[in-house]
Amino acid sequence: MTSMSPSLFGRIVAILSGRCNRQTSIGRAATDRIDRILAFALGIGVWIFGAGDAAEMAAQSRHFQTWWTAVAMFGVFGTALLLAGTALYVEQSVVRIIAATHAVVFAVAVGLSGFAVLPGQITDDVAWIYRLVPLGGVAATLAWRRSTTAIYVVVVGLLAASSTGQATGDLSWTEFTLTSLRILGITVTFVYITETARRAARLLDKEQARAHHQASLAAADEARASERARFAGVIHDKVLATLLDMSRGGCTTMLARQANQALGQLAAIGRANDMCTDLEAIEIIAREVVGATEAQLRVQVRHDYSSADLRIESAAVTALAQAAAESVRNSVRHADVPGRTVARQLTIVARACGITVVVEDDGAGFDPALVAANRLGLTVSIVQRMREAGGLATIDSRPGAGTRIILEWSAPDDT
């Protein structure tokens, strides 16, 4: 037996430990991991069976029609190989589709086996495909709901028992009943174990989501308490001091300066603690950028299901929106090319880990290394603004090759 490659082993360990870099919502993290491991184990298990019973499968093939052997071998083992090769890497919806395909192909192969076998020719044991019925039940469990899986198990089990009688030449009701009970009993056991593992993962996800919700509430309470403390500090240090100086007939200019400082600090408190959802952030950014110019601008928005957990400070959203708007204004001022229309596009991508905003055009372009340090549009309005908000601005441009400005803000890592 060949050893498992280090990268594949590392992938399995990463999924089991939850350190896989695939972005998964808090509500399905454990379920996603266990489904992938089960799908991978299913694909490998089918091939282990095939390797162990290869001689018997070759011997029995002479009792079946050639077309059926081709369907069974390529269909069952082909989909199992595809499942084993992709379960740890592709999207979970694709894994379910492949598992469903394996279950359907297997059911078709079992159903057709009774028509393809020469009656009474397999006398030593059952045909090889009937031993794989439990693994077909596992595939159905990963692909469908419990009710659909239950129907699948019963139908395939009865088909396998009927075809077994056809293959062995014993079509008595007693043999049919015993064979059905044996096949269904083993299959139900496999399905029960699989569903128990998935149910445990769902319970873990539920508890993690509840803990996350409780932590969010606690963080919100702490933020409100901190805001009240900061508000009280500004009232004490600025507002009351200004009123006291006013009662003593202080300088009007100084009083005005103190009042403006107090108002600025009070406004900053609200801005620092206000949080936006992913959709609110997208709306604010898009509205700011589109309103920055009358030039034609294509807008593209992408957000996956995991971005619903994203919370971003309003200050960061403002920085993204204003930096993107300045990027569009710079494009309108400097990127035009005589004789053709310059295409401009705004792309906003929201994920669980943060937001990325891309402003790009196919215009004149420039060499960023030659831009003067005192150019406020790039240095201050874009790069420095993103840096102060905890984000990053990347400028990618070449003369004659257009300009691409990437603005990124990542959510703080709570681990």
Side-chain angles (χ1 to χ4, degrees), residues 13 20 50 65 167 187 211 213 227 259 309 326 348 374 395:
V13 172
C20 178
Q65 297 290 337
T187 305
H213 178 67
E227 182 174 330
D309 299 319
E326 182 62 20
I348 306 174
N374 59 357
I395 300 172

Side-chain angles (χ1 to χ4, degrees), residues 56-74:
E56 183 180 8
M57 292 165 59
Q60 291 184 359
S61 63
R62 67 177 184 271
H63 303 307
F64 287 91
Q65 297 290 337
T66 303
W67 62 266
W68 180 89
T69 301
V71 170
M73 295 294 292
F74 289 101

Side-chain angles (χ1 to χ4, degrees), residues 4 35 50 77 102 116 159 204 217 231 244 251 268 284 324 362 373 375 381 396 400 402 409-410:
M4 185 176 296
D35 280 357
F77 289 98
H102 176 80
L159 284 174
L204 178 59
L217 293 178
F231 187 85
L244 180 61
C251 174
I284 292 171
D362 61 352
R375 278 279 302 275
S381 298
D396 181 16
W409 181 88
S410 298

Side-chain angles (χ1 to χ4, degrees), residues 4-360:
M4 185 176 296
S5 66
S7 59
L8 181 57
F9 178 76
R11 182 73 178 184
I12 296 173
V13 172
I15 290 179
L16 283 173
S17 61
R19 292 184 287 104
C20 178
N21 60 6
R22 180 176 298 279
Q23 296 170 359
T24 307
S25 66
I26 291 176
R28 282 194 53 85
T31 303
D32 179 87
R33 291 198 296 271
I34 197 65
D35 280 357
R36 291 180 184 280
I37 293 297
L38 289 170
F40 174 78
L42 170 63
I44 293 296
V46 172
W47 273 86
I48 291 175
F49 169 86
D53 284 13
E56 183 180 8
M57 292 165 59
Q60 291 184 359
S61 63
R62 67 177 184 271
H63 303 307
F64 287 91
Q65 297 290 337
T66 303
W67 62 266
W68 180 89
T69 301
V71 170
M73 295 294 292
F74 289 101
V76 174
F77 289 98
T79 54
L81 181 62
L82 183 61
L83 196 61
T86 60
L88 304 183
Y89 299 93
V90 302
E91 295 295 332
Q92 183 62 29
S93 59
V94 178
V95 176
R96 286 195 296 270
I97 292 174
I98 299 174
T101 302
H102 176 80
V104 170
V105 170
F106 180 80
V108 170
V110 170
L112 293 176
S113 63
F115 300 97
V117 68
L118 298 175
Q121 294 299 309
I122 300 179
T123 58
D124 53 344
D125 201 353
V126 298
W128 62 267
I129 194 168
Y130 307 137
R131 300 199 193 101
L132 288 174
V133 173
L135 296 184
V138 172
T141 305
L142 295 175
W144 301 312
R145 297 179 181 273
R146 295 176 186 174
S147 57
T148 306
T149 300
I151 295 173
Y152 176 90
V153 168
V154 172
V155 171
V156 174
L158 295 178
L159 284 174
S162 175
S163 299
T164 298
Q166 181 74 11
T168 59
D170 188 350
L171 299 175
S172 65
W173 278 105
T174 302
E175 184 62 25
F176 173 78
T177 302
L178 292 176
T179 303
S180 298
L181 291 176
R182 182 170 63 252
I183 293 176
L184 290 175
I186 298 174
T187 305
V188 168
T189 300
F190 272 68
V191 169
Y192 175 77
I193 294 173
T194 303
E195 184 58 33
T196 298
R198 300 181 76 232
R199 187 185 307 117
R202 288 193 294 268
L203 289 175
L204 178 59
D205 283 332
K206 183 177 180 180
E207 287 302 312
Q208 287 179 336
R210 187 183 66 82
H212 181 267
H213 178 67
Q214 294 297 329
S216 299
L217 293 178
D221 290 340
E222 182 179 352
R224 283 192 291 268
S226 175
E227 182 174 330
R228 285 194 295 269
R230 292 178 61 193
F231 187 85
V234 173
I235 294 295
H236 178 272
D237 296 339
K238 292 294 183 180
V239 178
L240 294 182
T242 302
L243 293 176
L244 180 61
D245 288 342
M246 183 182 297
S247 67
R248 293 173 178 174
C251 174
T252 303
T253 302
M254 181 187 67
L255 292 175
R257 185 169 61 251
Q258 289 180 351
N260 285 331
Q261 290 176 348
L263 291 174
Q265 292 184 14
L266 289 172
I269 292 174
R271 289 196 301 270
N273 291 281
D274 189 20
M275 305 295 288
C276 294
T277 65
D278 58 330
L279 295 180
E280 290 171 343
I282 290 172
E283 180 183 359
I284 292 171
I285 295 169
R287 186 171 61 243
E288 180 77 16
V289 176
V290 171
T293 178
E294 294 182 357
Q296 192 173 30
L297 180 68
R298 181 187 177 193
V299 178
Q300 185 176 11
V301 175
R302 299 199 302 271
H303 63 97
D304 58 29
Y305 67 90
S306 63
S307 67
D309 299 319
L310 181 64
R311 294 296 181 271
I312 176 173
E313 292 184 357
S314 290
V317 176
T318 300
L320 284 166
Q322 293 179 350
E326 182 62 20
S327 300
V328 172
R329 283 191 288 266
N330 280 344
S331 174
V332 173
R333 296 190 193 106
H334 306 295
D336 282 346
V337 177
R340 70 177 178 88
T341 301
V342 174
R344 297 178 175 88
Q345 177 169 309
L346 166 69
T347 304
I348 306 174
V349 182
R351 304 184 183 89
C353 60
I355 291 183
T356 300
V357 180
V358 180
V359 177
E360 53 189 333

